Amino acid sequence: MSAFITMLRLAQSERWSTPDLNDNKRFIFSVLSEVCCAAPGRRELRRSGRTNSLVGQQVAKTIQSYVSTHRRFRQEIENLAAEFEYEIEFIEGHLVVATIMRSNDLCLIAFRGTANAYDLSLDAMCWRTIGSSVHAGFQIAALEEQAEVVQRIGDHRTVFLTGHSLGAAIAAITPEIITALIGPRTIVASVFACPRISDRPCPLVAAKMESFAFKDDLVPSLPSLALGYMDQPYERIIDAAGLPSNA
């Protein structure tokens, strides 16, 4: 929780009306990406219902406990953000689970990474879509709830996107979707441990795009280059200290 309070204080000191990026903003993005994991998706909520089987009831109790704990945490997060005059909203989609932090000059959307077996099945859909040549599972997830997400962008002209793992892939695909749905915006995407998403460079719809990956992290090396995927030119490999790595 202390990291979240630090994030809110830093957010107040930053200028959000421009697409400029710095280490303070990247710290804010990384913290919100973790906070995003506090949002159970509709699949988790649906599975928490009552079932007739004994095993099903035990599973439901476990999920209900998970949902209850996370809802209490979310309430604490929302109350703290309000003290700093920020609004935080959790989007509980079927596939996309996102956290949005807003104020008059800030619209920051963080997408949740892989969190359950169904997310893993999306990760495994590594064939590419016809036309866009994007990873099919990531494209399905990105398109599923985008109408709900972009509705919350409202009149904000500058939009920041972030996410980790699966969430990073969704954030990388989303600028093109936002532009198609609501017209041009100044979109900035800064993501972490993004898997490979396409066999070609993504359209540079975003004003700024960057992706950070640890050199020994497995996720950014998937899907394999042997399947025709490519690394994106905006990816930056770093070591454990956060310094650029040439390895």
Side-chain angles (χ1 to χ4, degrees):
M1 196 65 73
S2 60
F4 183 72
I5 294 173
T6 301
M7 181 204 79
L8 291 170
R9 288 172 176 161
L10 286 174
Q12 284 191 322
S13 68
E14 293 295 329
R15 293 179 64 246
W16 295 102
S17 57
T18 67
D20 298 334
L21 289 171
N22 55 43
D23 288 342
N24 283 346
K25 287 184 177 179
R26 295 180 184 108
F27 173 76
I28 293 166
F29 300 155
S30 67
V31 172
L32 200 65
S33 294
E34 294 301 317
V35 168
C36 196
C37 294
R42 289 183 191 145
R43 285 182 173 273
E44 289 97 326
L45 296 173
R46 186 168 63 246
R47 288 173 60 198
S48 67
R50 297 182 62 85
T51 64
N52 293 325
S53 70
L54 180 62
V55 173
Q57 288 175 6
Q58 293 304 312
V59 170
K61 286 180 181 179
T62 300
I63 296 174
Q64 285 169 353
S65 176
Y66 160 81
V67 170
S68 176
T69 299
H70 281 66
R71 278 184 168 157
R72 287 195 300 270
F73 175 74
R74 286 171 49 184
Q75 189 61 58
E76 292 180 27
I77 290 292
E78 291 168 357
N79 292 342
L80 275 173
E83 291 179 16
F84 286 81
E85 299 183 348
Y86 285 109
E87 176 191 7
I88 285 191
E89 181 179 3
F90 292 86
I91 306 266
E92 300 170 358
H94 289 93
L95 304 182
V96 173
V97 178
T99 302
I100 301 180
M101 188 164 83
R102 289 177 298 199
S103 64
N104 288 336
D105 62 343
L106 170 62
C107 181
L108 169 55
I109 305 173
F111 296 98
R112 189 178 77 175
T114 301
N116 52 47
Y118 191 79
D119 291 346
L120 286 171
S121 73
L122 291 173
D123 295 336
M125 294 180 189
C126 54
W127 57 89
R128 292 184 295 280
T129 55
I130 298 174
S132 65
S133 294
V134 172
H135 183 289
F138 302 157
Q139 183 85 322
I140 290 170
L143 290 171
E144 177 73 14
E145 304 292 340
Q146 286 302 323
E148 187 173 353
V149 171
V150 299
Q151 179 183 3
R152 288 160 172 81
I153 294 175
D155 296 330
H156 285 91
R157 303 304 302 176
T158 302
V159 180
F160 294 85
L161 305 174
T162 191
H164 174 269
S165 183
L166 171 61
I170 295 171
I173 296 170
T174 294
E176 192 172 6
I177 298 173
I178 289 176
T179 301
L181 289 177
I182 57 177
R185 293 289 194 277
T186 300
I187 304 172
V188 179
S190 181
V191 300
F192 307 94
C194 186
R196 296 181 178 122
I197 60 177
S198 181
D199 63 355
R200 63 188 69 176
C202 287
L204 294 178
V205 176
K208 289 189 177 179
M209 188 89 174
E210 62 181 13
S211 174
F212 294 93
F214 287 124
K215 64 178 181 180
D216 297 323
D217 191 349
L218 176 63
V219 172
S221 66
L222 298 174
S224 170
L225 294 173
L227 295 176
Y229 284 86
M230 66 170 289
D231 294 319
Q232 295 296 319
Y234 49 75
E235 185 174 69
R236 299 165 66 176
I237 307 300
I238 57 177
D239 61 20
L243 299 175
S245 172
N246 296 321

Short mmCIF file of all heavy atoms in Angstrom, two decimals, residues 5 27 44 53 61 66 77 93 95 100 113 118 121 127 150 155 157 167 174-175 184 192 240-241 246:
data_model
loop_
_atom_site.label_atom_id
_atom_site.label_comp_id
_atom_site.label_asym_id
_atom_site.label_seq_id
_atom_site.Cartn_x
_atom_site.Cartn_y
_atom_site.Cartn_z
N ILE A 5 0.62 4.73 -2.33
CA ILE A 5 0.59 6.12 -1.84
C ILE A 5 1.70 6.93 -2.49
O ILE A 5 1.50 8.08 -2.91
CB ILE A 5 0.72 6.14 -0.31
CG1 ILE A 5 -0.51 5.50 0.33
CG2 ILE A 5 0.88 7.57 0.20
CD1 ILE A 5 -0.42 5.33 1.83
N PHE A 27 7.22 4.39 -13.05
CA PHE A 27 6.95 3.79 -11.75
C PHE A 27 5.44 3.76 -11.50
O PHE A 27 4.88 2.77 -11.02
CB PHE A 27 7.65 4.58 -10.64
CG PHE A 27 7.28 4.14 -9.25
CD1 PHE A 27 7.80 2.98 -8.71
CD2 PHE A 27 6.39 4.88 -8.49
CE1 PHE A 27 7.45 2.56 -7.43
CE2 PHE A 27 6.04 4.49 -7.20
CZ PHE A 27 6.57 3.32 -6.68
N GLU A 44 -14.35 -15.05 -12.91
CA GLU A 44 -14.18 -15.38 -11.50
C GLU A 44 -15.48 -15.15 -10.72
O GLU A 44 -15.86 -15.94 -9.86
CB GLU A 44 -13.06 -14.56 -10.87
CG GLU A 44 -11.67 -14.95 -11.33
CD GLU A 44 -11.15 -14.09 -12.46
OE1 GLU A 44 -11.96 -13.65 -13.29
OE2 GLU A 44 -9.95 -13.84 -12.51
N SER A 53 -22.33 -29.84 -6.60
CA SER A 53 -21.31 -30.82 -6.24
C SER A 53 -20.48 -30.33 -5.06
O SER A 53 -20.29 -29.13 -4.86
CB SER A 53 -20.39 -31.10 -7.43
OG SER A 53 -19.58 -29.97 -7.69
N LYS A 61 -16.30 -21.54 -2.73
CA LYS A 61 -15.91 -20.87 -1.49
C LYS A 61 -14.55 -20.21 -1.62
O LYS A 61 -14.32 -19.10 -1.14
CB LYS A 61 -15.90 -21.87 -0.34
CG LYS A 61 -17.29 -22.29 0.14
CD LYS A 61 -17.19 -23.28 1.30
CE LYS A 61 -18.57 -23.71 1.77
NZ LYS A 61 -18.47 -24.71 2.87
N TYR A 66 -11.51 -15.19 -2.41
CA TYR A 66 -10.62 -14.39 -3.26
C TYR A 66 -11.30 -13.08 -3.67
O TYR A 66 -10.71 -11.99 -3.56
CB TYR A 66 -10.25 -15.22 -4.49
CG TYR A 66 -9.75 -14.43 -5.68
CD1 TYR A 66 -8.44 -14.00 -5.76
CD2 TYR A 66 -10.61 -14.15 -6.75
CE1 TYR A 66 -8.00 -13.29 -6.86
CE2 TYR A 66 -10.17 -13.44 -7.85
CZ TYR A 66 -8.86 -13.02 -7.90
OH TYR A 66 -8.43 -12.32 -8.99
N ILE A 77 -8.06 1.04 -2.01
CA ILE A 77 -7.40 1.74 -3.12
C ILE A 77 -8.25 2.92 -3.58
O ILE A 77 -7.75 4.04 -3.79
CB ILE A 77 -7.16 0.76 -4.29
CG1 ILE A 77 -6.08 -0.27 -3.93
CG2 ILE A 77 -6.79 1.51 -5.57
CD1 ILE A 77 -4.70 0.29 -3.79
N GLY A 93 -14.29 -7.13 -17.00
CA GLY A 93 -14.77 -7.69 -18.25
C GLY A 93 -14.70 -9.20 -18.26
O GLY A 93 -14.19 -9.84 -17.35
N LEU A 95 -13.01 -10.94 -20.62
CA LEU A 95 -11.63 -11.27 -20.97
C LEU A 95 -10.65 -10.21 -20.50
O LEU A 95 -9.58 -10.52 -20.00
CB LEU A 95 -11.49 -11.44 -22.50
CG LEU A 95 -12.41 -12.46 -23.15
CD1 LEU A 95 -12.12 -12.55 -24.64
CD2 LEU A 95 -12.25 -13.83 -22.51
N ILE A 100 -8.68 1.91 -14.32
CA ILE A 100 -8.56 3.24 -14.90
C ILE A 100 -8.40 4.26 -13.79
O ILE A 100 -9.20 4.31 -12.84
CB ILE A 100 -9.81 3.59 -15.75
CG1 ILE A 100 -9.99 2.55 -16.87
CG2 ILE A 100 -9.70 4.99 -16.34
CD1 ILE A 100 -11.19 2.80 -17.74
N GLY A 113 -2.59 -8.68 -16.41
CA GLY A 113 -1.87 -9.75 -17.08
C GLY A 113 -2.52 -11.10 -16.86
O GLY A 113 -3.61 -11.22 -16.30
N TYR A 118 -7.99 -19.52 -18.08
CA TYR A 118 -8.55 -19.01 -19.33
C TYR A 118 -7.60 -18.00 -19.99
O TYR A 118 -7.45 -18.00 -21.21
CB TYR A 118 -9.91 -18.36 -19.09
CG TYR A 118 -10.62 -18.07 -20.40
CD1 TYR A 118 -11.27 -19.09 -21.09
CD2 TYR A 118 -10.59 -16.81 -20.97
CE1 TYR A 118 -11.88 -18.86 -22.31
CE2 TYR A 118 -11.21 -16.56 -22.18
CZ TYR A 118 -11.86 -17.59 -22.85
OH TYR A 118 -12.45 -17.35 -24.06
N SER A 121 -5.15 -19.84 -21.88
CA SER A 121 -5.65 -20.34 -23.16
C SER A 121 -5.59 -19.25 -24.23
O SER A 121 -5.34 -19.55 -25.41
CB SER A 121 -7.08 -20.86 -23.01
OG SER A 121 -8.01 -19.80 -22.85
N TRP A 127 -1.76 -18.57 -33.27
CA TRP A 127 -1.92 -18.31 -34.69
C TRP A 127 -2.29 -16.84 -34.87
O TRP A 127 -2.75 -16.18 -33.95
CB TRP A 127 -2.99 -19.21 -35.28
CG TRP A 127 -4.33 -19.12 -34.63
CD1 TRP A 127 -5.36 -18.28 -34.94
CD2 TRP A 127 -4.80 -19.90 -33.52
NE1 TRP A 127 -6.43 -18.48 -34.12
CE2 TRP A 127 -6.13 -19.47 -33.23
CE3 TRP A 127 -4.24 -20.91 -32.75
CZ2 TRP A 127 -6.89 -20.02 -32.20
CZ3 TRP A 127 -5.00 -21.46 -31.74
CH2 TRP A 127 -6.30 -21.02 -31.47
N VAL A 150 -13.15 2.35 -23.83
CA VAL A 150 -13.03 3.66 -24.47
C VAL A 150 -14.15 4.60 -24.05
O VAL A 150 -13.99 5.82 -24.09
CB VAL A 150 -12.98 3.54 -26.01
CG1 VAL A 150 -11.80 2.73 -26.45
CG2 VAL A 150 -14.27 2.96 -26.56
N ASP A 155 -13.73 12.76 -22.72
CA ASP A 155 -13.17 13.88 -23.48
C ASP A 155 -11.66 14.00 -23.35
O ASP A 155 -11.08 14.97 -23.85
CB ASP A 155 -13.82 15.19 -23.02
CG ASP A 155 -15.31 15.23 -23.32
OD1 ASP A 155 -15.72 14.60 -24.31
OD2 ASP A 155 -16.05 15.88 -22.56
N ARG A 157 -8.02 14.00 -24.13
CA ARG A 157 -7.32 13.99 -25.42
C ARG A 157 -6.00 13.24 -25.36
O ARG A 157 -5.48 12.80 -26.37
CB ARG A 157 -7.06 15.44 -25.88
CG ARG A 157 -8.29 16.30 -26.00
CD ARG A 157 -9.33 15.70 -26.93
NE ARG A 157 -8.83 15.46 -28.27
CZ ARG A 157 -9.53 14.88 -29.24
NH1 ARG A 157 -10.77 14.46 -29.00
NH2 ARG A 157 -9.03 14.70 -30.44
N GLY A 167 -1.51 -8.28 -20.26
CA GLY A 167 -1.97 -6.90 -20.22
C GLY A 167 -1.13 -5.98 -21.08
O GLY A 167 -1.64 -5.01 -21.67
N THR A 174 -4.17 -1.86 -28.30
CA THR A 174 -5.30 -0.96 -28.05
C THR A 174 -5.24 0.41 -28.75
O THR A 174 -6.29 0.94 -29.13
CB THR A 174 -5.49 -0.77 -26.53
OG1 THR A 174 -5.89 -2.03 -25.97
CG2 THR A 174 -6.55 0.26 -26.20
N PRO A 175 -4.06 1.04 -28.93
CA PRO A 175 -4.07 2.37 -29.58
C PRO A 175 -4.80 2.39 -30.92
O PRO A 175 -5.57 3.32 -31.21
CB PRO A 175 -2.58 2.67 -29.76
CG PRO A 175 -1.92 1.97 -28.62
CD PRO A 175 -2.70 0.69 -28.46
N PRO A 184 -8.88 10.23 -33.44
CA PRO A 184 -7.51 10.48 -32.98
C PRO A 184 -7.44 10.96 -31.54
O PRO A 184 -8.22 11.80 -31.11
CB PRO A 184 -7.01 11.54 -33.95
CG PRO A 184 -7.88 11.43 -35.15
CD PRO A 184 -9.22 11.02 -34.63
N PHE A 192 5.21 -3.60 -19.85
CA PHE A 192 6.24 -4.40 -19.20
C PHE A 192 6.07 -5.88 -19.55
O PHE A 192 4.96 -6.41 -19.52
CB PHE A 192 6.17 -4.22 -17.68
CG PHE A 192 6.20 -2.77 -17.26
CD1 PHE A 192 5.01 -2.08 -17.05
CD2 PHE A 192 7.40 -2.10 -17.10
CE1 PHE A 192 5.02 -0.74 -16.67
CE2 PHE A 192 7.42 -0.76 -16.73
CZ PHE A 192 6.23 -0.08 -16.52
N ALA A 240 18.56 -6.54 -14.05
CA ALA A 240 17.82 -6.54 -12.79
C ALA A 240 17.82 -5.18 -12.12
O ALA A 240 16.95 -4.87 -11.30
CB ALA A 240 18.41 -7.60 -11.85
N ALA A 241 18.82 -4.34 -12.42
CA ALA A 241 18.89 -3.00 -11.84
C ALA A 241 18.12 -1.97 -12.65
O ALA A 241 18.10 -0.79 -12.31
CB ALA A 241 20.35 -2.57 -11.70
N ASN A 246 22.70 -5.21 -23.28
CA ASN A 246 22.96 -5.57 -24.67
C ASN A 246 22.96 -7.07 -24.87
O ASN A 246 23.19 -7.57 -25.97
CB ASN A 246 24.30 -5.00 -25.13
CG ASN A 246 24.32 -3.49 -25.12
OD1 ASN A 246 23.33 -2.86 -25.48
ND2 ASN A 246 25.44 -2.90 -24.71
#
